[in-house]
């Protein structure tokens, strides 16, 4: 269906004059004239078109949307104030409702329904106009874009305007959700009063009978490593599939392929974009390469009207997929195998009913493979504990699998998948296929799933991550929708909200992101307090954070450094920045030094990586406004030390004791062999003192290094004072021993010089 017809059919009558005038823009483009009758496109024509689309149509739509959002916000705030005036409690406890109060609540619910319907219409209005602007500029660039391409300019203009951003509707939906929750608790008694209202910015899912709340985010490649390390300090990386464990001994994250289905009219896509009623998706999913014979699962995901979702799935062998999709095979062999294995009749019946339901769904909607998503998944979860499940998908690529163009199909119509990709073991970035058939997603996708406990509470570190500058919220993101929107733009007349965010830089200033997250939390807590007082219970509490947990990370420092460097291009600006950070560097340098090592006296003595890095940092001034962090990321998690670190420290201590015992034995032997009052006796006493020093030094070093290990210090663990003292003492003793032995030998040759003969002989004998 052409977009002009879609626009006419989807127009909301009360706002019909506020939509993009698509027909007028097409007439300016002279879209309906054949090429042989078309007049040359002049610069005046170009100016007229740009003036109409940017200064008239875009401004009209943006202004109307802004006015409606403001109007709806006022209506929501007024309804919220009205909720405060409806008394359903007495002395802080719920009281019986009279008929008048019940009618008030019903009228209030009707008002909420009216506001919600208008919010939905405004979302459709924004989405429809957003699609219209992109469609018409694409027509312009295709037919009139020999000299001027205006699609990039339009994308920038759209990304700067909030009317197509889902974030603009979140505050309204949050308040509406809380008010609906409060009213229905009173009218219908849905669940206990202590239950927590659903978050509109999340999705509810059911896995193995457990309900989860899913939160989705985009992660910029510059932030990806920091996000992974932040999570790894709390949750271990999970090898969650036997198939993934086969890949490179399980040391690499598995590659996942999801093959999505739809028909030529894209009904599944439209339902997911419009979120109108129940929406479903169907996909085949496997790990690794298809030539490795992985387990293949056919999955149907159903998203209900209230935002919750459920999955139906069953395994299927590759050789049966074609027959199953063409309704020629009904999983009889799998059912017979389950019966031979002695599985319960209930399990067999559930398997058969799931397969029949999915097959009926595919046949009714005339579904066929349309597009595949290929990505690498890193999963985090504590073994045996599924309260928190996190996954990060990277290297995301979408590839066409359709046969819409019968003359040039992307896939063999007799096959259920693209054999050129799977038989060739192609991997990301898929450079060996037609590049118009592949789309690479620029960001990683982070998904956090929290098991529901009816309290709405999240772990503190999860709350910090979700509100940090490292992630960009995208609650309704779908790989299937993104794949269709990016590869089939000419075939569809609806585009998802998040497309405008792809043209903007999703990186944020750490402090600004933290303050925005705190403001949202405080506002939601305030709204919950009002609803809690209405219900006579406590829904939640808000405790402000002291500071952003990731605001002092190395990445934010680097971003600040880049910003400062771009601002300080000239030498004078650089000098000013260096002078401005002098005091801060001085304060940062007033840290405890490595007393007891030569590096504390001669800073250039240490040749370790730490010493070199320390000298490099000392010689490079920090940019203006950037301070060295007081706590590194590696020190913020729980203390986990490998046993080999402790054992290495203990082995060093035992070596010192071994040296102490050897020196002590030498000293006792020397002292015993020498006579009283001789020089050898005093040397024996000296050796004893050296042995005692070696033992005490080993004991001190053991505890000193233990404290550094516990403190997770990055400083050098070597200390040269003790070894150098002992080495110098032994060297002096050996020299004296040589001197006395030499004098004894001379004395034998010259009996007149026999002073100290007894002492020399004693030392020589030893």
């Amino acid at each position: 269906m052409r977009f002009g017809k879609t626009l006419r059919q989807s127009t909301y009558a009360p706002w019909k004059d506020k939509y993009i005038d698509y027909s007028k823009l097409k007439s300016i483009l002279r879209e309906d004239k054949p090429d042989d009758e078309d007049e040359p496109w002049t610069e005046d024509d170009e100016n007229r078109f740009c003036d109409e689309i940017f200064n008239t149509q875009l401004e009209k739509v943006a202004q109307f949307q802004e006015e409606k959002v403001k109007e709806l916000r006022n209506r929501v705030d007024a309804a919220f104030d009205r909720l405060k005036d409806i008394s359903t409690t007495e002395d802080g406890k719920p009281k019986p409702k009279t008929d008048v109060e019940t009618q008030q609540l019903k009228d209030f619910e009707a008002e909420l329904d009216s506001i919600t319907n208008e919010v939905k219409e405004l979302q459709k209005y924004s989405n429809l106009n957003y699609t219209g602007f992109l469609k018409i500029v694409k027509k312009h660039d295709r037919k009139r874009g020999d000299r001027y391409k205006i699609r990039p300019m339009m994308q920038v203009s759209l990304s700067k305007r909030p009317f197509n951003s889902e974030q603009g509707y979140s505050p309204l939906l949050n308040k509406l959700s809380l008010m609906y929750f409060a009213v229905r608790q009173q009218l219908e008694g849905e669940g206990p009063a202590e239950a927590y209202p659903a978050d509109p910015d999340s999705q509810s899912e059911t896995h193995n009978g457990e309900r989860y709340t899913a939160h989705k985010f985009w992660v910029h490649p510059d932030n990806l490593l920091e996000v992974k390390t932040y999570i790894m300090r709390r949750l271990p990386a999970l090898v969650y599939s036997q198939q993934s464990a086969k890949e490179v001994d399980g040391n690499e994250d598995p590659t996942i392929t999801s093959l999505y289905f739809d028909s030529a009219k894209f009904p599944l896509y439209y339902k997911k974009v419009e979120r109108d009623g129940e929406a479903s998706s169907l996909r085949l999913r496997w790990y690794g390469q298809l030539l490795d014979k992985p387990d293949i699962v056919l999955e149907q995901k159903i998203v209900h009207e209230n935002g919750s979702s459920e999955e139906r799935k069953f395994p299927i062998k590759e050789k049966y997929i074609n027959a199953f999709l063409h309704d020629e095979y009904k999983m009889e062999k799998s059912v017979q195998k389950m019966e031979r294995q002695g599985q319960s009749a209930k399990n067999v019946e559930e398997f058969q009913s799931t397969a029949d339901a999915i097959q009926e769904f595919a046949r009714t909607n005339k579904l066929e493979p349309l597009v595949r998503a290929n990505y690498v998944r890193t999963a985090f979860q504590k073994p045996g504990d599924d309260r928190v499940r996190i996954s990060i998908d990277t290297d995301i690529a979408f590839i066409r699998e359709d046969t819409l163009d019968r003359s040039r199909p992307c896939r063999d119509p007799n096959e259920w998948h693209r054999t050129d990709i799977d038989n060739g073991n192609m991997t990301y970035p898929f450079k060996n296929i037609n590049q118009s058939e592949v789309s690479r997603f620029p960001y990683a996708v982070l998904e956090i799933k929290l098991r529901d406990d009816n309290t709405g509470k999240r772990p503190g570190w999860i709350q910090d991550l979700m509100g940090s500058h490292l992630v960009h919220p995208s609650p309704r993101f779908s790989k299937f929708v993104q794949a269709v929107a990016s590869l089939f733009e000419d075939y569809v007349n609806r585009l998802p909200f998040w497309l405008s965010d792809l043209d903007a830089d999703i990186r944020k200033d750490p402090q600004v992101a933290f303050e925005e997250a705190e403001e949202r939390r405080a506002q939601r807590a305030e709204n919950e307090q009002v609803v809690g007082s209405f219900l006579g219970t406590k829904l939640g509490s808000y405790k402000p954070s002291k500071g952003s947990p990731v605001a002092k990370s190395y990445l934010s420092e680097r971003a600040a450094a880049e910003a400062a460097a771009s601002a300080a291009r000239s030498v004078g600006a650089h000098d000013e920045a260096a002078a401005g950070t002098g005091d801060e560097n001085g304060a940062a340098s007033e840290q405890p030094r490595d007393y007891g090592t030569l590096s504390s006296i001669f800073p250039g003595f240490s040749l370790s990586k730490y010493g070199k890095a320390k000298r490099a940092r000392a010689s490079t001034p920090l940019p203006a406004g950037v301070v060295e962090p007081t706590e590194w990321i590696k020190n913020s998690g729980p203390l986990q030390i490998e046993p080999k670190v402790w054992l290495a420290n203990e082995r060093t201590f035992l070596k010192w004791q071994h040296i102490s015992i050897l020196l002590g034995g030498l000293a006792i032997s020397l002292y015993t062999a020498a006579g009283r009052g001789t020089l050898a006796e005093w040397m024996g006493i000296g050796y004893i003192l050296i042995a005692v020093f070696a033992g005490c030094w080993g004991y001190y070093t053991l505890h000193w290094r233990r404290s550094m290990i516990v403190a997770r210090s990055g400083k050098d663990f070597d200390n040269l004072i003790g070894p150098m003292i002992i080495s110098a003492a032994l060297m002096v003793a050996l020299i004296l021993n040589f001197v006395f032995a030499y004098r004894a030998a001379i004395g034998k040759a010259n009996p007149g010089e026999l002073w100290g003969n007894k002492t020399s002989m004693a030392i020589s004998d030893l």
Side-chain angles (χ1 to χ4, degrees):
M1 184 186 299
R2 292 185 175 274
F3 179 76
K5 186 176 180 181
T6 301
L7 180 62
R8 290 191 298 272
Q9 293 179 352
S10 305
T11 298
Y12 184 50
W15 304 342
K16 62 181 180 180
D17 296 331
K18 303 300 181 181
Y19 286 81
I20 178 177
D21 196 339
Y22 195 74
S23 299
K24 182 177 181 180
L25 292 171
K26 283 182 63 177
S27 66
I28 296 176
L29 276 179
R30 301 197 289 270
E31 175 71 15
D32 298 331
K33 287 189 177 182
D35 294 337
D36 54 353
E37 299 179 6
D38 195 10
E39 300 175 2
W41 184 259
T42 64
E43 189 169 345
D44 292 338
D45 295 328
E46 183 69 27
N47 292 336
R48 181 186 173 203
F49 178 80
C50 291
D51 180 70
E52 179 66 26
I53 192 172
F54 285 104
N55 299 334
T56 304
Q57 300 297 330
L58 185 58
E59 289 298 328
K60 175 184 69 175
V61 172
Q63 183 178 356
F64 176 76
Q65 193 272 346
E66 184 178 353
E67 293 173 354
K68 292 303 295 184
V69 167
K70 185 176 180 181
E71 176 188 329
L72 288 171
R73 187 179 293 116
N74 293 336
R75 289 181 64 185
V76 170
D77 292 340
F80 207 70
D81 294 336
R82 181 181 167 191
L83 181 67
K84 301 176 185 178
D85 299 333
I86 302 177
S87 176
T88 61
T89 59
E90 187 174 354
D91 297 330
K93 297 180 180 180
K95 68 176 183 179
K97 296 183 291 295
T98 64
D99 293 340
V100 175
E101 292 172 341
T102 301
Q103 187 59 43
Q104 284 182 329
L105 291 172
K106 290 182 178 179
D107 294 341
F108 186 79
E109 185 180 24
E111 174 65 15
L112 294 182
D113 290 338
S114 174
I115 297 175
T116 303
N117 291 334
E118 194 151 334
V119 170
K120 289 181 179 179
E121 291 296 338
L122 186 59
Q123 286 181 316
K124 292 180 182 179
Y125 168 88
S126 301
N127 181 267
L128 200 60
N129 284 282
Y130 175 80
T131 305
F133 283 119
L134 291 183
K135 289 278 187 181
I136 196 66
V137 296
K138 187 173 184 179
K139 287 181 179 293
H140 169 276
D141 290 354
R142 181 187 301 156
K143 189 167 185 176
R144 308 297 183 186
D146 295 338
R147 290 182 297 172
Y148 307 102
K149 301 285 187 183
I150 65 172
R151 183 181 173 91
M153 189 187 307
M154 175 58 70
Q155 289 175 326
V156 171
S157 299
L158 291 174
S159 64
K160 292 181 179 179
R161 298 177 183 273
F163 75 82
N164 195 49
S165 173
E166 199 164 11
Q167 305 298 322
Y169 298 100
S170 292
L172 295 176
L173 296 176
N174 283 332
K175 273 194 174 182
L176 288 171
S177 174
L178 286 169
M179 288 188 285
Y180 267 121
F181 173 77
V183 171
R184 285 173 179 168
Q185 284 284 342
Q186 293 295 322
L187 290 177
E188 304 171 13
E190 293 183 356
E194 291 79 10
Y196 201 80
D199 186 354
D201 291 338
S202 63
Q203 289 182 326
S204 297
E205 299 181 358
T206 303
H207 297 280
N208 299 325
E210 296 284 351
R211 292 185 62 83
Y212 289 84
T213 302
H215 306 266
K216 294 182 181 180
F217 304 87
W218 294 348
V219 182
H220 194 279
D222 290 350
N223 298 340
L224 182 58
L225 179 61
E226 189 166 0
V227 171
K228 283 187 175 181
T229 55
Y230 183 84
I231 298 172
M232 287 173 62
R233 286 195 300 271
R234 279 85 179 176
L235 294 178
L238 177 67
V239 179
Y240 51 89
S241 166
Q242 292 182 354
Q243 185 65 32
S244 65
K246 297 178 184 177
E247 298 186 4
V248 197
D249 300 328
N251 293 326
E252 289 189 357
D253 295 326
T255 300
I256 301 177
T257 301
S258 295
L259 186 60
Y260 292 97
F261 290 71
D262 209 338
S263 69
K265 294 184 178 181
F266 301 92
L268 303 188
Y269 168 81
Y270 282 123
K271 284 187 177 181
K272 290 186 74 71
V273 171
E274 297 171 0
R275 300 204 298 269
D276 189 9
E278 187 175 89
S280 297
S281 61
L282 184 65
R283 68 181 178 183
L284 285 164
R285 185 177 183 182
W286 66 88
Y287 293 88
Q289 296 292 339
L290 200 58
L291 287 180
D292 297 332
K293 304 298 181 183
D295 297 332
I296 303 176
V297 179
L298 183 58
E299 300 178 350
Q300 180 189 6
K301 185 174 183 180
I302 305 172
V303 180
H304 299 290
E305 196 169 358
N306 59 1
S308 62
S309 66
E310 61 175 313
E311 285 186 352
R312 299 172 181 169
K313 59 183 179 180
F314 65 91
I316 184 172
K317 291 185 177 180
E318 179 183 353
K319 60 183 178 181
Y320 297 134
I321 293 177
N322 254 340
F324 182 84
L325 295 177
H326 291 89
D327 208 15
E328 299 171 357
Y329 175 68
K330 296 186 178 298
M331 305 302 297
E332 299 92 345
K333 293 186 178 181
S334 298
V335 171
Q336 293 171 4
K337 183 178 179 181
M338 294 175 67
E339 292 174 346
R340 287 196 304 268
Q341 292 175 346
Q343 297 193 28
S344 64
K346 181 181 179 181
N347 290 341
V348 175
E349 183 180 355
E350 288 179 353
F351 177 87
Q352 186 66 68
S353 62
T354 299
D356 292 343
I358 293 179
Q359 192 172 49
E360 176 64 23
F361 175 72
R363 181 176 62 251
T364 303
N365 292 277
K366 299 180 180 180
L367 302 181
E368 59 182 26
L370 184 76
V371 65
R372 79 165 61 191
N374 184 276
Y375 48 93
V376 176
R377 170 159 291 183
T378 305
F380 303 91
Q381 181 183 330
K382 290 182 180 179
D385 185 356
D386 60 354
R387 289 176 296 176
V388 179
R389 302 166 58 185
I390 298 179
S391 65
I392 300 178
D393 297 336
T394 55
D395 294 343
I396 303 175
F398 305 115
I399 305 172
R400 290 182 61 165
E401 295 262 350
D402 63 282
T403 59
L404 298 179
D405 187 352
R406 296 297 179 179
S407 61
R408 298 178 58 187
C410 299
R411 165 182 54 85
D412 185 351
N414 297 321
E415 296 288 344
W416 61 271
H417 66 106
R418 288 186 62 159
T419 55
D420 59 332
I421 295 177
D422 295 321
N423 294 345
N425 277 344
M426 293 187 190
T427 57
Y428 187 88
F430 300 97
K431 293 184 178 180
N432 295 332
I433 63 175
N434 188 339
Q435 294 303 293
S436 64
E437 298 173 359
V438 61
S439 172
R440 300 171 188 87
F441 193 68
Y443 306 123
V445 176
L446 168 68
E447 185 170 11
I448 301 174
K449 294 183 179 179
L450 306 175
R451 193 171 67 191
D452 289 348
D453 56 3
N454 290 330
T455 64
K457 294 183 179 179
R458 304 164 181 160
W461 66 274
I462 291 285
Q463 188 76 38
D464 293 338
L465 177 61
M466 292 170 59
S468 73
H469 69 288
L470 300 175
V471 297
H472 176 78
S474 185
R476 304 293 178 180
F477 179 76
S478 165
K479 294 187 182 72
F480 168 58
V481 173
Q482 175 62 31
V484 175
S486 59
L487 293 173
F488 298 91
E489 184 178 346
D490 292 338
Y491 292 84
V492 296
N493 294 326
R494 285 281 202 281
L495 297 175
F497 271 114
W498 60 76
L499 280 188
S500 58
D501 293 336
L502 292 176
D503 302 316
D505 189 353
I506 64 172
R507 290 174 294 185
K508 310 171 187 174
D509 179 81
Q511 190 60 32
V512 172
F514 169 70
E515 291 173 357
E516 291 176 352
E518 286 296 295
E519 183 179 354
R520 289 194 299 268
R521 287 181 57 205
Q523 183 61 48
R524 183 169 175 82
E526 180 182 350
N527 298 339
E528 289 166 358
Q529 289 178 0
V530 174
V531 174
S533 64
F534 175 80
L535 296 174
T537 185
K538 185 178 181 181
L539 286 181
S541 60
Y542 167 70
K543 189 175 182 180
S545 302
K546 295 180 180 179
S548 174
V550 286
K552 294 183 178 181
S553 62
Y554 71 89
L555 190 64
S556 61
E557 292 179 7
R558 190 184 74 186
E562 291 176 355
S566 62
R569 297 294 184 185
S570 63
V571 177
H574 176 75
D575 295 338
E576 181 181 351
T581 56
D583 296 338
E584 294 173 1
N585 291 336
S589 64
E590 295 177 4
Q591 297 179 353
R593 300 184 63 184
D594 299 336
Y595 294 109
T597 66
L598 284 181
S599 59
S600 63
I601 304 174
F602 305 103
F605 183 81
S606 177
L607 298 178
S608 65
K609 293 182 179 179
Y610 174 78
K612 293 178 180 178
K614 185 176 181 181
R615 291 193 297 273
R617 289 198 304 270
S619 61
T620 304
L622 292 174
V626 180
V627 297
E628 187 172 354
T630 58
E631 182 180 13
W632 299 99
I633 292 179
K634 65 182 180 64
N635 298 339
S636 61
L639 182 64
Q640 295 179 352
I641 302 174
E642 296 184 8
K644 64 180 182 181
V645 178
W646 296 110
L647 295 177
N649 191 29
E650 291 180 1
R651 282 197 301 270
T652 306
F653 169 71
L654 294 177
K655 288 290 184 182
W656 276 111
Q657 301 311 304
H658 181 65
I659 293 173
S660 177
I661 292 172
L662 288 178
L663 290 176
L666 173 65
I668 294 298
S669 301
L670 181 62
Y671 185 82
T672 303
R676 296 185 59 82
T678 63
L679 184 60
E681 181 182 9
W682 289 106
M683 289 190 63
I685 295 174
Y687 272 110
I688 291 175
L689 294 177
I690 295 175
V692 171
F693 176 80
C696 294
W697 180 260
Y699 183 78
Y700 161 75
T701 304
L702 172 71
H703 288 274
W704 171 67
R705 287 177 176 164
R706 182 185 182 279
S707 63
M708 291 181 68
I709 292 171
V710 172
R712 294 183 281 202
S713 174
K715 300 177 182 179
D716 290 335
F717 277 68
D718 55 337
N719 200 328
L720 303 179
I721 297 298
M724 294 192 68
I725 290 176
I726 295 175
S727 299
L730 290 175
M731 188 175 296
V732 170
L734 291 174
I735 292 174
L736 290 176
N737 187 48
F738 174 78
V739 171
F740 291 147
Y742 179 78
R743 292 176 67 90
I746 295 298
K748 289 181 181 180
N750 187 4
E753 297 180 1
L754 294 178
W755 73 274
N757 183 44
K758 185 177 181 180
T759 300
S760 301
M761 291 178 63
I763 294 176
S764 300
D765 293 340
L766 290 176

